Amino acid sequence: MSKLESSPIRIKSFQFACEIVHYCDDLKRKNDFEIASQLLKSGTSIGANTREAQRGVSTKDFKNKFGIALKEADETKYWLEILEATGREVPNDLMEKCEELIRILVAILKNS
């Protein structure tokens, strides 16, 4: 495994995206199609943008993609909060993992 493939943000965002896919499948079984769709898009976009960032052609490109990933992580947290506020059961570890991704992305952006 290359250094790029073993980066913590890449691994964590990929694992998070997989968990989001499974959770959205559960939401769809409960007929929460619209919010599942929004959550699926933002929750999987985090990893897609971090992967793109690591192949960035410039520092500006790198920061831009990580900035987009951070926005997507924040949007994902928003949808999870909406689900909680409307009485849906959100796995605690899913919210915690989202918050961890936000912290990591903030740190990457501050240090780049």
Side-chain angles (χ1 to χ4, degrees):
M1 184 179 291
S2 74
K3 184 177 180 182
L4 188 63
E5 291 170 341
S6 65
S7 76
I9 188 64
R10 190 166 178 163
I11 293 166
K12 288 179 183 292
S13 62
F14 181 82
Q15 291 170 340
F16 182 76
C18 292
E19 290 181 40
I20 286 290
V21 168
H22 291 299
Y23 180 57
C24 288
D25 286 345
D26 290 341
L27 289 172
K28 289 174 189 175
R29 280 191 282 279
K30 297 173 185 170
N31 294 322
D32 282 324
F33 298 105
E34 289 81 10
I35 201 158
S37 176
Q38 293 291 329
L39 181 61
L40 184 63
K41 288 175 189 174
S42 64
T44 57
S45 182
I46 302 164
N49 279 289
T50 60
R51 187 169 285 198
E52 280 188 54
Q54 292 177 323
R55 300 273 187 206
V57 294
S58 66
T59 301
K60 183 178 178 182
D61 187 32
F62 176 87
K63 286 177 149 181
N64 182 52
K65 292 298 182 190
F66 269 113
I68 293 168
L70 177 58
K71 288 178 183 181
E72 295 293 341
D74 196 47
E75 180 181 340
T76 300
K77 184 178 176 188
Y78 173 79
W79 292 121
L80 292 172
E81 289 170 345
I82 292 287
L83 285 161
E84 283 183 340
T86 56
R88 274 68 164 194
E89 189 173 324
V90 176
N92 284 338
D93 65 326
L94 204 55
M95 184 68 82
E96 290 167 10
K97 289 175 183 178
C98 187
E99 290 170 351
E100 180 184 18
L101 286 172
I102 290 170
R103 286 191 301 273
I104 293 169
L105 290 165
V106 167
I108 288 169
L109 286 165
K110 281 184 178 179
N111 294 316
S112 60

